[in-house]
């Protein structure tokens, strides 16, 4: 069935919200875009004149596509080379979705995206739709074909898992930059002591290279181990420059609303390191270096101005 112009316009109006939902659910830009495109194809094939609430119909179709994707993704990630981490998005990316409330900002933080991987697909969907997009339980229940009571129970269970996994700390952009500057000063000092002072005792560090860039499969655990690793990571070396194809320029920025370090070579992002900050210090250092998961960030980086310039070169 051919879509009329108003149907196309209605879908395009909904696209940013659909992409933001899909990204939170899947943690991958390409998978989110694929899910939204498949939703459009189903919208195109539907008798739109018989759909009373198009926005609800589109959300239901998209969410269930993402649930199917999450189920198959778990099987694929068992064969993923190394540690799988979500795809980070730089500040201002529309796929980050709404950020008007603390709950919305928190729900797309890199730390929460990592924790969402521990939830069942249904728990993840309920948490995202409720916490990030304020859907009523009645509507979420209709989307997932469950009872409202079951939806509420699933939400409270998911929220508890997320709360147990991290301590929320709100950080504005200025504070995030200061944290990154302190972190980089310590990481490039050549000594472990300044880093240990910034890290929590149980800090962890992990990277995702996707089998394309070397990244340690097992996380470094404990302040000393993490500090020792970071000291070596931020030490200039010809081998590192050869690996990334040039001299990395290191910038302070924000990704998924939190402090982040970006490594750029000739305008191409070769790594984004997200810092999870708690009241006690930096609790996690997560580095995304898989080039497949840096494409969108590179596009946005290239389109923006960076008047402050890099803080370091390696």
């Amino acid at each position: 069935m051919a879509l009329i112009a108003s149907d196309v316009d209605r879908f395009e109006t909904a696209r940013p919200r659909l992409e933001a939902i899909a990204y939170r659910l899947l943690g991958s830009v390409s998978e989110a875009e694929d899910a939204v495109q498949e939703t459009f194809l189903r919208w195109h094939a539907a008798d739109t004149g018989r759909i009373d609430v198009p926005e609800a119909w589109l959300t239901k179709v998209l969410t269930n596509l993402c649930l199917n994707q999450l189920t198959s993704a778990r099987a694929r990630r068992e064969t993923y080379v190394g540690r799988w981490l979500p795809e980070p998005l730089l500040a201002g990316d529309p796929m980050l979705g709404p950020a008007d409330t603390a709950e919305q900002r928190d729900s797309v933080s890199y730390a929460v995206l990592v924790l969402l991987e521990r939830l069942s697909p249904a728990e993840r969907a309920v948490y995202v739709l409720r916490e990030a997009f304020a859907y009523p339980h009645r509507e979420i229940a209709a989307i997932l074909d469950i009872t409202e009571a079951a939806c509420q129970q699933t939400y409270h269970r998911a929220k508890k898992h997320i709360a147990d996994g991290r301590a929320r700390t709100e950080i504005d952009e200025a504070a995030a930059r200061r944290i990154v500057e302190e972190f980089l000063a310590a990481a490039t000092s050549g000594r472990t002591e300044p880093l240990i002072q910034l890290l929590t005792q149980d800090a962890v560090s992990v990277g995702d290279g996707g089998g394309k860039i070397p990244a340690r499969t097992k996380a470094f655990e404990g302040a000393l181990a993490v500090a020792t690793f970071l000291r070596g990571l931020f030490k200039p070396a010809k081998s590192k420059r050869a690996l990334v194809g040039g001299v990395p320029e290191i910038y302070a920025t924000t990704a998924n609303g939190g402090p982040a370090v970006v490594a750029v070579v000739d305008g191409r992002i070769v790594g984004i390191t997200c810092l999870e900050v708690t009241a006690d210090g930096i609790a996690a250092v997560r580095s995304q270096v898989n080039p497949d998961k840096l494409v969108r960030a590179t596009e946005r980086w290239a389109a923006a101005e960076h008047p402050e310039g890099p803080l370091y070169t390696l």
Side-chain angles (χ1 to χ4, degrees):
M1 182 175 295
L3 290 178
I4 60 176
S6 60
D7 288 333
V8 175
D9 291 342
R10 180 168 287 169
F11 184 87
E12 291 305 320
T13 299
R15 182 185 291 275
R17 178 177 57 83
L18 296 175
E19 287 186 343
I21 292 173
Y23 169 69
R24 278 174 161 87
L25 287 176
L26 301 173
S28 163
V29 168
S30 61
E31 291 180 3
E33 290 174 336
D34 288 346
V36 172
Q37 182 60 24
E38 179 60 28
T39 302
F40 175 76
L41 294 176
R42 298 193 181 193
W43 174 249
H44 185 278
D47 184 356
T48 57
R50 303 184 65 178
I51 297 174
D52 295 330
V53 186
E55 290 74 14
W57 187 94
L58 291 170
T59 303
K60 182 180 178 70
V61 169
L62 174 81
T63 301
N64 282 285
L65 285 170
C66 289
L67 288 176
N68 292 337
Q69 182 75 4
L70 284 171
T71 301
S72 62
R74 292 197 170 197
R76 291 199 310 275
R77 287 171 192 171
E78 289 179 0
T79 61
Y80 188 82
V81 179
R83 181 71 65 93
W84 190 96
L85 289 176
E87 182 170 345
L89 295 180
L90 300 182
D93 194 312
M95 198 173 275
L96 289 170
D100 299 324
T101 67
E103 290 77 14
Q104 289 173 336
R105 292 189 293 273
D106 192 60
S107 69
V108 80
S109 70
Y110 204 69
V112 166
L113 289 184
V114 171
L115 288 172
L116 285 174
E117 289 294 308
R118 304 179 185 178
L119 304 183
S120 70
E123 288 173 336
R124 188 164 182 162
V126 170
Y127 181 85
V128 166
L129 291 173
R130 179 64 178 170
E131 198 79 354
F133 297 91
Y135 276 83
H137 285 292
R138 173 179 50 81
E139 293 185 17
I140 301 174
I143 289 171
L144 299 179
D145 293 323
I146 59 177
T147 66
E148 188 171 346
C151 180
Q152 292 173 335
Q153 292 174 353
T154 302
Y155 170 68
H156 291 304
R157 187 167 60 246
K159 193 169 184 178
K160 185 178 186 303
H161 287 325
I162 297 296
D164 289 346
R166 71 185 295 263
R168 176 184 293 176
T169 303
E170 281 268 10
I171 300 172
D172 60 26
E173 190 169 343
R177 182 174 180 83
R178 289 196 299 271
I179 290 169
V180 174
E181 289 174 347
E182 291 179 12
F183 172 80
L184 286 174
T188 57
S189 69
R191 298 182 296 125
T192 57
E193 290 80 5
L195 277 166
I196 290 175
Q197 293 177 5
L198 294 179
L199 299 168
T200 61
Q201 290 186 347
D202 59 350
V204 298
S205 177
V206 65
D208 177 353
K212 300 182 178 183
I213 297 293
R216 180 180 167 94
T217 302
K218 186 178 180 180
F220 291 94
E221 299 179 353
L224 178 58
V226 172
T228 302
F229 165 69
L230 292 173
R231 182 187 64 186
L233 181 66
F234 284 91
K235 184 178 181 180
K238 290 182 179 179
S239 58
K240 295 175 185 175
R241 294 176 178 178
L243 181 65
V244 297
V247 179
E249 296 180 330
I250 308 300
Y251 292 81
T253 187
T254 58
N256 293 76
V261 178
V262 174
V264 182
V265 174
D266 296 330
R268 172 176 53 91
I269 292 180
V270 297
I272 299 178
T273 297
C274 298
L275 307 179
E276 181 181 348
V277 180
T278 69
D280 297 323
I282 298 173
V285 180
R286 301 182 177 97
S287 298
Q288 182 56 260
V289 293
N290 182 346
D292 294 342
K293 297 183 182 180
L294 297 172
V295 174
R296 186 177 176 99
T298 292
E299 291 173 352
R300 292 198 60 82
W301 184 267
E305 296 182 358
H306 309 283
E308 296 179 340
L311 294 175
Y312 296 95
T313 57
L314 295 181

